[in-house]
Amino acid sequence: MELLLLLLLLLISQAVCGKFGMKCLLNMEHQNGLKPWSYYRPGDHLFSFITTASKIWHIILPFNMAPEKQSHVLSTNKSRILRFIFAIQVVNKNPQLLHNLTLAYNIHDNYLNTLATSDALLDILSTGEANVPNYSCGRKDNILALLDGTSRDISIQMSTLVGPYKVPQISDKIVSEALSDKSQFPFFHRTFPILGFHYPGIVQLLLYFRWTLIGLFASDTGNGEHFMRTFTPMLNRNGICVVISQRLSMSGNTEPLRDAISKWRQVNVFVHFIEYAPILDIISLFHSTLEGLPGPIEGKVWIMTTLGTYKIKKDSLLKYIHSIWTFAFQEKKRPNGFFESYLYIEPQFEVQSFQCLFSKHIFSVKGRKRCTQKAPLETKEERNSIQIRYNCHFYSVIKTLVHALNAAYSTRSRRRRKECRDMLGALRLQPWQFHVFLKKNECCNLSSRKLYLDQNGDVAADLNILSFLILPEEDPIKEQLGGFERQNLIINQDAISRLKLLNKSLPQSKCVERCQPGFMKQAQEGESVCCYDCVPCPEGTISTQEDTEECTMCPDDKFPNKNRVQCIPKIITFLSYEEPLGIITVSFTLLLLLITGIVLTIFIKYLETPIVKANNRDLSYLLLVSLLLCFLSTFFFFGKPRKATCLLQKMVFSIVFSVAISSLLAKTIIVVLAFLASKPGNRVKRWLGKKLTNSIILSCSAVQIFICAMWLGVSPPYPDSDLHSQPGEIILQCNEGSVTMFYVVLGYMGFLAAICLMVVFLARNLPGAFNEAKPITFSMLVFCSVWVSFLPTYLSTKGKYMVVVQIFSILASSAGLLSCIFIPKCYIIILRSDLNTKEHLMIKVVK
């Protein structure tokens, strides 16, 4: 049994190697003219290249014949193949790049088809005559790396198939971001940036020109859906509103697009992600949509996300377009002696430059004919040759591989090389060993383009921003508007100025006109966030730029100007002698001082008269001196507040007022006691005298002094500045320190005044010619009225007007005491001296 199985395995292996015939169950009939080519050149290390040179229109795949039988080719462009061959050729001819080694290649066309790609990969991974991976039979030129020149979706397919074989896959095109996942695709290497790496730059571009209301167009493909899904949130995060979002199809309905553009006529900027379809086909669809809209249509700006340039000529379809913007890679400066930029290829290059052999065995499942290069490609122009522009990027990729090869070999010791030669007969580098040296991604340094690694380690590139300005009856003008360098936007202001000279200034693309400095944006309810109203900045804030989201607070020492676009220094204010309010207050104070001095002089001059002696002359003097000091204390409130003046302001007037009210209280109590003492048998008479008077004044004043001392100990008044009460002013004032103590002082004064008022009110009808009860009653009513009204007035005013209220309260209450108590007496002393006699006093008492 074991012998039979061994024989069966031997027969199968020989059939696969081509030594024995074996029937195939499928009908694999070949027509050699339709077989795809496999371009091949032998060498020390094999690099395979899968690209798309031909595109298949459609494929019918029956199960009874080979797939190639039913393939219909749409177009063929083998320029990428020629560029790759030429790059290999340049490297092999340069002994300074790769010493004693030559590069081999194996090029396959995948026809932009997943089935053809799988067939090419099987051919690459199979070293024998049949497509059987992991089975070696005959051919020994194992692949070292796979160069990927296919589309994004097929690149994922290729990486999935070659990844298990640890074959490095190097892509020379922009591929999907999914391939950046090293856990799934550890052997994938980029020489181009990821898909959408320049989307943040486009966002910067829109923000620079303040295009906040835009439309998005994308092809009706998976990549177009990925663009919408990726780019739209990026715009929303930066405050750019996408109000038109359409997936374009050449055979689709344009009514939704027409309705969207009709609703949002303000949208003048459109960002396009277009795949496969020619640009004029999309413009035609766009033109037909705008053609039927009523009213004037402003020129639209097209921003193409694809990388590369277009050849755009004048066309009636460009009628509604202002300009078309594209992005192109920035190129490094080429060194002197660089190879020529153009290849000149014979039309029959396949026949002249390659020797093609068909499969040797009739039952081989290889579907390709292998063409080995026998003649080099030339760069010299000939009469019947085809001119193809050479892309330096191919050379950069190959040069990167060469540097990686040199690095790999430099790490191997001579002894290991000798052992390998003895064992294998040739030095053989394995793909997974080569992969380690590709991780450094030296393509950024060797590339002809300005490539670099971003903060995530992905390949990025510097780009130019190109604009094709559409002019009537002329070909579009190509301008370089700026670029993206290290992900930073740079705008060419000269190019923008030239647009203005051509009367083709860039259009606005906003929901509303911009908010001017001094205003801020306020969202409209139920509308897009880009639709807003412009409202003035709140009090105390400014805005210096247009379309400000929030206004900025001015520093405490500054305030907004009238237009709220600039913070200007505040004016420092305090109650000074020079200003009109200060002059009026000082004048009134001096007048009251003069009157008080005159009254005091009169009382001193007529101190022996009955009217002065009858009402306790000493208390009258003390009261007049107290009132004089009250008027003088108001001068502490004028001028720039200082520490000394702030302490004296509240303390002096509170203590002096307490002495004045205590004097009135003593006067009243003496009058009441004198009346009681006049009754027979009353012992009150012994209390009358200076002792009682002094005791009342000292005790009442001492309490106020004690309260003021506590105030000084807890939190005394101090100079302060009020920055917020009055707009545009810094008010210098005295801070009470402890507000509680301030109101305790006022409360005690009010307590003394209330007691005095009650006592004097009870004594108002006592007999006597010069009874002061009634004048004191009126004076205390005035005093209490003033200070009761002081509190709400003081709390409702700000700045220096608070100081004026305090001064007015002191002057008014003091003037009330002076006028009610002393002015009538002065009238009698000066004008009615006939009443100022002892006889008149006795008559009044008898009555």
Side-chain angles (χ1 to χ4, degrees), residues 50-51 67-68 108-126 131-133 146 150 153-162 165 365-368:
I50 297 181
T51 186
E68 292 84 354
H108 293 76
D109 187 355
N110 74 335
Y111 299 93
L112 197 62
N113 177 259
T114 55
L115 183 62
T117 303
S118 299
D119 177 69
L121 289 172
L122 287 175
D123 183 72
I124 290 170
L125 296 172
S126 303
N131 287 343
V132 182
L146 173 65
T150 61
D153 299 333
I154 295 179
S155 294
I156 296 177
Q157 174 197 357
M158 293 173 58
S159 189
T160 304
L161 289 175
V162 302
Y165 293 92
V365 294
K366 291 280 188 183
R368 298 174 180 265

Side-chain angles (χ1 to χ4, degrees), residues 391-537:
N391 189 341
C392 297
H393 183 69
F394 282 95
Y395 179 72
S396 303
V397 173
I398 300 301
K399 195 173 180 181
T400 301
L401 299 178
V402 170
H403 276 263
L405 269 176
N406 289 330
Y409 279 114
S410 65
T411 59
R412 301 162 74 101
S413 65
R414 294 181 180 180
R415 187 182 65 178
R416 183 177 177 91
R417 290 192 185 186
K418 186 176 183 304
E419 291 175 357
C420 291
R421 287 193 181 97
D422 293 341
M423 294 175 60
L424 302 176
L427 184 61
R428 183 75 63 186
L429 184 68
Q430 298 301 322
W432 56 87
Q433 297 171 325
F434 186 52
H435 158 73
V436 177
F437 297 94
L438 288 173
K439 285 184 177 180
K440 297 181 180 179
N441 211 335
E442 292 188 8
C443 186
C444 292
N445 300 326
L446 302 175
S447 176
S448 60
R449 292 165 177 157
K450 292 184 179 180
L451 304 180
Y452 62 92
L453 297 180
D454 62 13
Q455 61 271 18
N456 299 321
D458 293 324
V459 180
D462 293 339
L463 301 177
N464 289 326
I465 304 172
L466 305 178
S467 171
F468 295 88
L469 183 64
I470 309 302
L471 298 176
E473 305 301 328
E474 294 183 27
D475 285 336
I477 299 176
K478 184 179 178 181
E479 287 278 0
Q480 182 173 324
L481 294 182
F484 300 120
E485 295 184 4
R486 299 286 169 163
Q487 300 179 357
N488 294 319
L489 175 65
I490 299 175
I491 295 297
N492 183 0
Q493 297 297 335
D494 293 337
I496 302 298
S497 301
R498 284 192 291 271
L499 292 179
K500 295 180 180 179
L501 292 176
L502 293 170
N503 198 23
K504 296 287 286 187
S505 296
L506 294 173
Q508 291 292 319
S509 189
K510 304 179 69 174
C511 184
V512 294
E513 290 297 327
R514 64 186 64 181
C515 290
Q516 298 299 320
F519 292 80
M520 60 179 284
K521 297 193 296 186
Q522 187 179 64
Q524 296 178 358
E525 187 176 355
E527 294 292 338
S528 168
V529 294
C530 295
C531 298
Y532 49 83
D533 296 321
C534 297
V535 296
C537 286

